[in-house]
Amino acid sequence: MENGRANMKPVTGTSQVTCTAPVNIAVIKYWGKRDERLVLPINPSLSVTLSQDQLCARTTVAASLDFKKDRIWLNGQEQSIDAPRLQKCLGEIRRLARKRKHEEERMGDLLGCCVHICSENNFPTAAGLASSAAGYACLVQSLAKLFHIDGDVSHIARQGSGSACRSMYGGFVEWTMGKMEDGSDSIAKQIAPADHWPELRVLVVVVNAGKKAVGSTEGMQTTVKTSALIKYRAEHVVPSRQEEMRQAVLERDFQTFGEITMKDSNQFHATCLDTYPPIFYLNETSKHIIHLVHRYNQHHGKIRAAYTFDAGPNAVLYLLQEDLPEVLALFHHFFPATTNNSERQFVRGLPDVQRKELSADLLDSVGLEPSPGSVQYIIHTKAGEDPQVLTDPQQALLDENGLPKKQT
Ligand code: DP6
């Protein structure tokens, strides 16, 4: 008998929904809250939603009168349902559903049901990628569908994890600060769809590293408390940068897009250094990548690749499709795979690109020592769509009894 299911008869009247949700990578960073409880930011931010073909979270939620309590399984393991942010999202969805009960016939007994939630990522959490954004976006989207809630629910995803609100939309997305005290206008909005800029490509460079030193929530709290630079950034830098960035996206102006992306990443990491005690997210490989990108751009006299780093050492590069062969060749040359990270899997994701022969001139301009094995692998992807509902029951993570199909 596995998990005590053998004697179990299928639960009656179960409603189930399965969704996937994307990762997003900010080009104007969110760092710092003005309200911890409601997760209201000190500055607006802007991000690119990545394709779910390469990176996504998947969640199944089920509701049944037969369930005795709310339960959650993450990546195969049951977790406490009492986590405050999880409770916040569940509570907000139920509150909205209760409000709409009278106008929504399909609601039926749903409000009296307990829910089971099962979620997983299709990428290693240990890779330090923005898993909480995709995870909370997926949870909120699935619950909203289950409870028949239409319209924007990014203000609920925001209360799970700030950056999650931007994963509720595809393409190019901004998260506005909002003015209302209850945070109802601090929401995400799409500024351009995923197919607006088809030449734009993304390389997620997974750097060999240990566990994240300081989590984002705790890190930004200390920054807001101790850094003078973060105040200056929020008041005097981000507002105009956000406008410039929005314009650059609308005009598909890669020079401006790339320059602001790199400057904003650097300023975010400068505020981390200005935190007391300081927070270091970048490691030697990250710095190596920063030098490589600047020297490469300098060689060509224009921005051909732009880096950005979140709360960890992994780099995300934005570039145009035409420059992929050269940029990938540079990574192969300066971060060659070792037997531990086999050549075959070094670049994953979108179909492999023919590498360009690197000129001696370019190698000379870059002038770095190759660093074998310091990059684990690269995920080649592009901008993608908003969360999706999966209708094939085979893709559900919960079985007909509302229990995980696989558990570790
Ligand atoms: C560096 O959204 O993870 O990735 O709201 O506390 O959950 P919480 O923080 P989180 O912070 C993300 C910070 C960032 C920048 C960004 O994505 O804008």
Side-chain angles (χ1 to χ4, degrees):
M1 188 171 90
E2 193 197 335
N3 305 321
R5 300 176 200 198
N7 302 326
M8 219 174 217
K9 58 178 187 338
V11 290
T12 44
T14 311
S15 312
Q16 224 190 58
V17 174
T18 302
C19 290
T20 61
V23 164
N24 74 78
I25 300 293
V27 288
I28 302 287
K29 303 291 185 196
Y30 146 57
W31 196 252
K33 298 179 185 69
R34 61 182 199 275
D35 184 318
E36 290 286 334
R37 193 179 58 85
L38 291 170
V39 189
L40 299 177
I42 57 168
N43 62 254
S45 54
L46 203 152
S47 57
V48 181
T49 293
L50 305 188
S51 166
Q52 291 166 71
D53 291 346
Q54 280 74 47
L55 301 163
C56 73
R58 181 158 34 134
T59 303
T60 299
V61 290
S64 168
L65 289 169
D66 291 359
F67 296 161
K68 300 280 178 291
K69 53 176 188 166
D70 293 336
R71 294 175 76 182
I72 184 164
W73 293 263
L74 292 182
N75 293 317
Q77 294 209 314
E78 181 153 17
Q79 309 281 329
S80 164
I81 193 78
D82 296 325
R85 288 168 170 215
L86 186 60
Q87 281 300 320
K88 197 80 214 259
C89 291
L90 256 170
E92 283 296 302
I93 290 279
R94 283 187 167 128
R95 196 173 61 85
L96 259 187
R98 221 170 288 128
K99 252 169 89 182
R100 296 189 189 171
K101 188 172 167 40
H102 304 295
E103 63 224 56
E104 183 52 81
E105 282 168 24
R106 291 172 296 170
M107 203 72 83
D109 286 333
L110 270 173
L111 277 168
C113 290
C114 288
V115 294
H116 283 186
I117 302 164
C118 189
S119 189
E120 59 181 38
N121 296 326
N122 74 346
F123 53 91
T125 316
L129 301 168
S131 52
S132 69
Y136 274 106
C138 208
L139 171 78
V140 169
Q141 179 74 1
S142 315
L143 288 171
K145 294 285 172 207
L146 183 73
F147 285 92
H148 308 294
I149 295 169
D150 299 322
D152 178 74
V153 279
S154 69
H155 60 287
I156 301 182
R158 186 198 76 223
Q159 295 175 64
S161 183
S163 55
C165 73
R166 298 185 313 239
S167 277
M168 299 303 285
Y169 293 93
F172 301 82
V173 181
E174 71 177 341
W175 171 14
T176 54
M177 278 181 67
K179 291 195 180 79
M180 308 280 284
E181 240 173 67
D182 66 355
S184 54
D185 58 347
S186 183
I187 55 174
K189 288 183 190 152
Q190 183 182 74
I191 57 172
D195 61 3
H196 164 72
W197 200 348
E199 305 80 23
L200 187 72
R201 291 309 167 96
V202 182
L203 297 177
V204 180
V205 182
V206 180
V207 164
N208 257 328
K211 230 183 137 269
K212 211 198 260 194
V214 185
S216 319
T217 307
E218 184 196 340
M220 65 176 85
Q221 249 168 24
T222 320
T223 305
V224 169
K225 261 193 226 136
T226 62
S227 163
L229 180 56
I230 193 77
K231 206 168 165 336
Y232 179 81
R233 164 176 165 75
E235 285 172 12
H236 301 289
V237 181
V238 178
S240 54
R241 229 174 227 183
Q242 178 89 354
E243 290 308 313
E244 267 185 87
M245 183 55 104
R246 186 190 302 120
Q247 214 46 44
V249 167
L250 292 177
E251 290 167 10
R252 292 184 281 265
D253 168 3
F254 188 74
Q255 293 307 301
T256 309
F257 176 88
E259 184 176 330
I260 302 179
T261 296
M262 292 188 279
K263 285 184 170 172
D264 204 70
S265 171
N266 292 341
Q267 188 173 73
F268 152 50
H269 289 278
T271 69
C272 291
L273 196 61
D274 192 44
T275 301
Y276 191 78
I279 307 169
F280 305 97
Y281 286 124
L282 307 180
N283 67 12
E284 284 313 306
T285 309
S286 319
K287 292 178 200 165
H288 220 79
I289 295 170
I290 292 175
H291 287 309
L292 171 64
V293 169
H294 281 291
R295 291 176 193 179
Y296 171 62
N297 289 338
Q298 199 169 11
H299 175 84
H300 286 294
K302 63 196 279 223
I303 295 174
R304 290 209 176 181
Y307 55 78
T308 184
F309 296 84
D310 283 335
N314 298 321
V316 174
L317 298 192
Y318 288 104
L319 71 165
L320 297 177
Q321 190 175 6
E322 64 199 29
D323 296 318
L324 264 172
E326 195 164 58
V327 171
L328 283 176
L330 278 172
F331 273 85
H332 275 283
H333 182 91
F334 288 104
F335 302 100
T338 57
T339 41
N340 292 336
N341 51 345
S342 84
E343 188 79 6
R344 190 178 60 79
Q345 297 188 333
F346 191 61
V347 180
R348 304 171 186 187
L350 288 173
D352 209 2
V353 178
Q354 202 66 38
R355 269 177 261 158
K356 189 174 166 180
E357 183 100 21
L358 297 170
S359 72
D361 241 21
L362 172 56
L363 290 176
D364 214 38
S365 307
V366 172
L368 291 167
E369 276 301 310
S371 176
S374 53
V375 167
Q376 260 185 59
Y377 58 90
I378 295 176
I379 304 168
H380 172 199
T381 184
K382 57 183 183 179
E385 304 299 336
D386 57 344
Q388 304 287 311
V389 178
L390 302 180
T391 48
D392 179 357
Q394 298 266 23
Q395 293 174 304
L397 299 173
L398 294 170
D399 64 17
E400 68 278 19
N401 293 310
L403 291 172
K405 288 182 179 170
K406 60 172 190 231
Q407 273 185 313
T408 49

